[in-house]
Amino acid sequence: MPEKAKILDSAPDQEFQIKLCTKLESLSVADTTFNVPSSINSSGLNTLVQGLLEHVEGKSLEFEWLCLGELLRGKLAEHVSKRNDITAETVIELEYIEKNLPPEPQISANHDDWVSSVAVLDNLVLTGCYDNTVNLWTLEGQKTLVIPSHSGPVKAVAWLDSETFVSASHDQTVNMFQWNKETNSVEGVNTCRGHERSVECVAVWGGGEGSNRVFATGSFDNTVKLWGGRLVGEEQVPEGGSQAKKAKPTGRGVTRTP
């Protein structure tokens, strides 16, 4: 009978050879081979390790287990039966990692639709929403501003500096805003056009204030476009230049192209 079949048809009292390892240096055990019953599970393995660590502070910690790089759920025998690279002679390497409880939300910041993106700067939080708005929050969860910035869902937001941010949208545009901290108001200074499909992401590069930065946008039109972080006013639009164009629609800033 092939080795694999022997494992699958093994008796309940069959044992496996295992080695325990961890990247938690303070909770490591000796590099020793152990024989354990095939029915052992994460709880049994925790008991084994805690017994080996009885003189180590932190012995009450619970662990998650990785069997050859895959998370162990249920009995060891059940996990082994799904693999073709383990035989009766294999010494199975089991890695244990600290088990953490899932995070619990401390503050709920409600939106009217799906939240697509988040950008944090100091104690301010920008969020992009599928209701076509950009929202400005404090870290305490207080909404300070709602900006109806696009004609389609907002897909990405990013800070250029402490007073300037950008938002990208399904409407194929990227808007650049200047925020006035004193009045808690924003001005849409530039609308960046050039993508032919939804703009999905924004990445900012460079140090200092926004004028020294550049940002890249990625779109479903299979292109990445690079933009200067400097805000451009109407008086700065060059004759026939491609960097910016005067915007016609009311409520929009100067239109720019890459």
Side-chain angles (χ1 to χ4, degrees):
M1 183 182 294
E3 290 292 340
K4 189 63 181 177
K6 289 181 182 179
I7 293 178
L8 294 175
D9 300 334
S10 60
D13 59 351
Q14 182 191 2
E15 293 186 340
F16 289 133
Q17 296 183 82
I18 65 169
K19 277 190 175 183
L20 308 178
C21 65
T22 184
K23 294 182 175 68
L24 305 171
E25 295 183 3
S26 62
L27 298 175
S28 61
V29 298
D31 184 14
T32 305
T33 301
F34 298 90
N35 290 332
V36 298
S38 60
S39 60
I40 197 168
N41 56 18
S42 295
S43 178
L45 291 168
N46 279 333
T47 301
L48 173 61
V49 170
Q50 288 169 6
L52 296 170
L53 296 173
E54 61 178 336
H55 300 300
V56 178
E57 184 179 353
K59 64 178 181 178
S60 61
L61 289 173
E62 293 291 317
F63 301 102
E64 296 276 15
W65 291 86
L66 299 174
C67 178
L68 299 178
E70 295 180 0
L71 196 61
L72 179 64
R73 300 294 190 192
K75 298 177 181 179
L76 183 58
E78 295 171 351
H79 186 86
V80 168
S81 68
K82 300 174 184 177
R83 300 186 61 112
N84 297 316
D85 55 348
I86 299 177
T87 68
E89 286 75 32
T90 301
V91 177
I92 303 172
E93 184 177 276
L94 298 177
E95 180 182 354
Y96 52 100
I97 58 179
E98 188 174 349
K99 183 177 183 179
N100 295 311
L101 294 175
E104 296 183 0
Q106 302 298 312
I107 299 171
S108 179
N110 294 323
H111 294 70
D112 294 331
D113 209 330
W114 291 350
V115 179
S116 62
S117 51
V118 177
V120 179
L121 180 68
D122 299 329
N123 64 335
L124 296 172
V125 181
L126 271 181
T127 57
C129 186
Y130 267 57
D131 65 1
N132 307 348
T133 67
V134 173
N135 300 267
L136 186 63
W137 308 76
T138 66
L139 288 179
E140 291 72 33
Q142 179 183 357
K143 184 184 290 187
T144 63
L145 206 56
V146 179
I147 309 160
S149 58
H150 290 276
S151 60
V154 177
K155 307 303 290 289
V157 293
W159 290 96
L160 291 178
D161 57 40
S162 59
E163 296 181 348
T164 314
F165 58 87
V166 297
S167 61
S169 171
H170 186 76
D171 66 10
Q172 306 176 14
T173 67
V174 180
N175 287 336
M176 300 179 68
F177 294 93
Q178 191 164 41
W179 176 57
N180 187 313
K181 181 179 180 180
E182 301 301 324
T183 61
N184 189 33
S185 60
V186 296
E187 178 186 0
V189 181
N190 293 150
T191 295
C192 303
R193 300 182 184 275
H195 286 295
E196 297 178 358
R197 294 187 66 185
S198 174
V199 187
E200 297 292 304
C201 54
V202 175
V204 179
W205 179 86
E209 293 301 306
S211 60
N212 296 321
R213 294 189 171 194
V214 295
F215 62 94
T217 55
S219 167
F220 264 125
D221 63 10
N222 301 331
T223 67
V224 173
K225 296 187 184 297
L226 195 64
W227 313 81
R230 181 174 61 90
L231 296 173
V232 178
E234 288 192 14
E235 69 282 357
Q236 298 169 292
V237 178
E239 289 283 335
S242 63
Q243 173 62 24
K245 301 175 184 176
K246 291 188 179 180
K248 299 294 185 183
T250 303
R252 293 291 185 206
V254 173
T255 297
R256 298 171 56 182
T257 55

